[in-house]
Amino acid sequence: MSTRIADTYAIINIADLSNIDFSQVGETDETTIRKSLDDSQFVLKWNTTPSFISDNTVVPVEELTHDEALVLMATPAWSEEIPVE
């Protein structure tokens, strides 16, 4: 995937992790995905819809734009609060 901002970001249930073909998305493997703090979901990004999405092998919980993904990643479900000292 190029360095440009991805067209689509998707929230995927962690149970679908084994169905991901990382050659079709912006992440390289399961060690590079962003997980929710409770490890129940993760984020994928792409510019061209992966076959595992288009054939419904994996059904995203939600599809987002880059800006929407940034907002979601800032929520308590995805980011720990950093205490101010």
Side-chain angles (χ1 to χ4, degrees):
M1 176 171 277
S2 70
T3 57
R4 76 180 181 95
I5 294 174
D7 292 332
T8 304
Y9 291 73
I11 307 305
I12 310 291
N13 284 319
I14 200 75
D16 287 320
L17 186 57
S18 64
N19 296 319
I20 304 304
D21 178 352
F22 285 98
S23 70
Q24 298 181 40
V25 296
E27 295 72 23
T28 55
D29 59 38
E30 66 182 71
T31 66
T32 62
I33 59 173
R34 172 80 183 263
K35 293 181 185 177
S36 59
L37 293 181
D38 67 2
D39 286 335
S40 67
Q41 298 177 332
F42 64 97
V43 179
L44 290 179
K45 60 184 177 282
W46 61 79
N47 292 320
T48 302
T49 303
S51 61
F52 58 84
I53 298 291
S54 60
D55 70 9
N56 289 320
T57 299
V58 174
V59 177
V61 174
E62 185 175 9
E63 289 189 15
L64 308 164
T65 65
H66 179 254
D67 289 341
E68 291 167 335
L70 289 176
V71 170
L72 180 64
M73 294 303 104
T75 64
W78 290 86
S79 295
E80 291 182 7
E81 187 174 329
I82 298 172
V84 178
E85 295 182 21

